[in-house]
Amino acid sequence: MRVLLVEDEPDLGAAIKRTLTQHKYLVDWVLDGNEAWAYLDNSWTQYTVAILDWMLPGISGLELCKQLRQNKNPLPVLMLTAKDTMEDKVAGLDAGADDYLVKPFGMAELLARLRALQRRSPQFQPQQLSVGNLTLDYGNSTVSHNFQADKQVILLTNKEFQLLEYFMKHPNQIVTSEQIRYQLWEVSSETMSNVVAAQMRLLRRKLTNSGCANLIETLHGLGYRLNLTP
Ligand code: CA
């Protein structure tokens, strides 16, 4: 799950990013409302949820939320703010926010709110994703497959998990390295061009070692394809 975090307090932003990353979210963190809009208003990065601080340099979190809704963007929004009067909560919800968290809050509560949004929103993922004979389990970061009637469970790292999830959401389609890089690596990170190929090697090695060779095909000059029979 990819999260856009917009929080201008460096310590809080870093703490949230660290917590979410530990819980397998991929987080793009920006500190400024104008920059946040550039992240939200593009078609090449798809977020599962946005966490918007209310008071920001540039465009406020409230305005960001209004602009999203004016553009008919249904992205779930969790607002963060120190304001805790009833009027402010109403303004936040009127602007189209899905939920509201008053500072200071504990990370356990933030995670619980995200899970609650997850249950409400069809854009969020369920506990498992099954395609063909592959099943990804979000709870314990594994993929299992029934290969020749023999069930194998493979433990994946965060990045391997995200990579396989991306393929399972685009089965039997050619996906390019560029697409994978844009979706799975932070926009701000200095990503080298071979990072996708390196991660692909690690994922393939695990799949091959568990009897699942040739699941992901390389189409030279085009990209990769997860081949699954429905
Ligand atoms: Ca702020």
Side-chain angles (χ1 to χ4, degrees), residues 7-8 53 55:
E7 171 56 69
D8 60 315
D53 185 31
M55 301 293 286

Side-chain angles (χ1 to χ4, degrees), residues 6-9 12 31 53-57 80-82 103:
V6 190
E7 171 56 69
D8 60 315
E9 289 174 40
L12 180 59
L31 293 92
D53 185 31
W54 186 308
M55 301 293 286
L56 292 168
L80 303 181
T81 182
K103 296 176 185 177

Side-chain angles (χ1 to χ4, degrees), residues 3-177:
V3 176
L4 181 69
L5 168 64
V6 190
E7 171 56 69
D8 60 315
E9 289 174 40
D11 290 349
L12 180 59
I16 294 174
K17 179 168 180 171
R18 193 163 55 241
T19 300
L20 295 186
T21 303
Q22 282 164 358
H23 288 79
K24 297 198 281 294
Y25 294 90
L26 181 70
V27 183
D28 287 323
W29 173 28
V30 295
L31 293 92
D32 171 278
N34 294 318
E35 195 185 354
W37 186 247
Y39 278 68
L40 289 167
D41 188 33
N42 75 70
S43 55
W44 37 266
T45 316
Q46 273 153 14
Y47 293 103
T48 324
V49 66
I51 302 173
L52 306 179
D53 185 31
W54 186 308
M55 301 293 286
L56 292 168
I59 309 171
S60 74
L62 193 72
E63 283 301 319
L64 286 171
C65 192
K66 280 185 187 163
Q67 282 179 213
L68 276 176
R69 300 312 182 225
Q70 274 163 12
N71 288 2
K72 307 266 182 263
N73 187 329
L75 178 69
V77 169
L78 176 62
M79 292 285 302
L80 303 181
T81 182
K83 300 183 176 193
D84 60 354
T85 67
M86 188 54 75
E87 292 75 24
D88 289 332
K89 284 182 186 171
V90 169
L93 295 172
D94 277 351
D98 297 273
D99 201 0
Y100 195 103
L101 200 50
V102 176
K103 296 176 185 177
F105 52 84
M107 290 300 157
E109 185 174 9
L110 175 67
L111 290 166
R113 298 294 181 101
L114 289 177
R115 285 195 298 272
L117 281 175
Q118 175 175 341
R119 286 193 291 273
R120 288 213 297 267
S121 168
Q123 293 183 53
F124 280 84
Q125 291 147 352
Q127 271 307 97
Q128 290 194 330
L129 172 67
S130 292
V131 183
N133 58 1
L134 294 176
T135 300
L136 271 183
D137 190 309
Y138 290 90
N140 56 16
S141 293
T142 59
V143 61
S144 56
H145 63 90
N146 293 302
F147 188 68
Q148 295 171 344
D150 191 19
K151 189 181 176 189
Q152 293 266 359
V153 180
I154 313 167
L155 183 63
L156 300 172
T157 65
N158 276 356
K159 217 67 201 175
E160 291 163 352
F161 190 92
Q162 291 166 1
L163 187 56
L164 186 56
E165 178 193 33
Y166 187 79
F167 277 106
M168 287 173 67
K169 288 185 169 178
H170 303 84
N172 303 316
Q173 295 172 31
I174 299 173
V175 294
T176 66
S177 286

